[in-house]
Amino acid sequence: VTSATLDAERFSKHFNGAPVIEDSGRLYPIETRFRPFDDKKDSDLNDAIVDAVDEAHRTGPGDVLVFLPGEREIREAAEALRKRHPPHTEILPLFSRLSAGDQDRIFKPSGARRIVLATNVAETSLTVPGIRYVIDTGLARVKRYSYRNKVEQLQIEKISQAAARQRAGRCGRVSAGVC
């Protein structure tokens, strides 16, 4: 069993003291900043994302990875970012319905500063090179079965603390990062 967020001691105890082998890999220090978002204010989530991206750009060099729940939210955030950021900033969406060529663009470095807008596909399955900042909305689209309606639904839900730690780790792969 391999995991970046598993409680290894608890897991080992459950299996009668099974040995735990730790391979920490390369993980640089990550500074976590909490920016509370208030739904009741005049600003929306996209304004909060734009403000957080601006803060990341003022902090220093590096690319930004923004976690959003779904394709629609990614498209809306991309539009808001395009309105407020200079043309030399590259805004790259990443979700499952994109063509393979468009998905591969996030792995090709460019001279421009990059903002990758991704669903939870970027949470565990890949490491995007150059990411120094992670902006996490704390939301994910999760498939749930409704027994009442007898259908599966994709609902937006808050993520777990383990998922939040996993997402934060995306910015500590190549250098110290900020989440």
Side-chain angles (χ1 to χ4, degrees):
V1 175
T2 61
S3 174
T5 57
L6 178 74
D7 183 351
E9 282 186 38
R10 189 171 163 202
F11 186 83
S12 176
K13 285 179 187 174
H14 179 77
F15 289 102
N16 301 322
V20 175
I21 301 169
E22 183 178 333
D23 180 14
S24 60
R26 290 185 316 171
L27 185 63
Y28 295 90
I30 299 167
E31 176 188 345
T32 302
R33 299 178 185 171
F34 182 64
R35 296 175 56 101
F37 175 70
D38 187 1
D39 289 333
K40 297 168 185 81
K41 287 188 176 179
D42 290 337
S43 63
D44 66 355
L45 184 61
N46 290 328
D47 291 333
I49 290 169
V50 169
D51 291 343
V53 168
D54 288 344
E55 182 181 326
H57 285 183
R58 286 190 306 272
T59 302
D63 296 337
V64 179
L65 173 61
V66 181
F67 284 102
L68 293 152
E71 180 180 344
R72 183 179 74 227
E73 293 82 10
I74 287 173
R75 292 188 190 281
E76 290 171 358
E79 187 61 33
L81 287 164
R82 281 189 189 98
K83 288 179 184 175
R84 296 253 315 256
H85 283 84
H88 63 274
T89 302
E90 193 174 6
I91 299 169
L92 302 168
L94 177 64
F95 50 88
S96 61
R97 289 184 3 145
L98 274 179
S99 68
D102 286 339
Q103 289 183 22
D104 286 343
R105 286 179 54 206
I106 69 164
F107 298 107
K108 295 181 175 116
S110 69
R113 199 138 192 207
R114 301 176 332 146
I115 303 169
V116 178
L117 305 171
T119 60
N120 56 351
V121 69
E123 187 176 304
T124 58
S125 58
L126 52 93
T127 297
V128 181
I131 297 298
R132 182 144 179 250
Y133 305 96
V134 167
I135 298 169
D136 188 357
T137 60
L139 302 171
R141 200 170 287 276
V142 180
K143 189 185 292 188
R144 298 284 184 219
Y145 181 75
S146 170
Y147 293 101
R148 177 181 289 173
N149 299 329
K150 308 268 190 263
V151 294
E152 282 186 344
Q153 300 170 321
L154 285 172
Q155 298 175 337
I156 295 177
E157 297 180 2
K158 292 181 181 179
I159 62 170
S160 68
Q161 289 179 5
R165 282 191 301 275
Q166 184 75 28
R167 289 178 174 191
R170 300 292 102 190
C171 66
R173 298 292 183 203
V174 294
S175 68
V178 178
C179 177

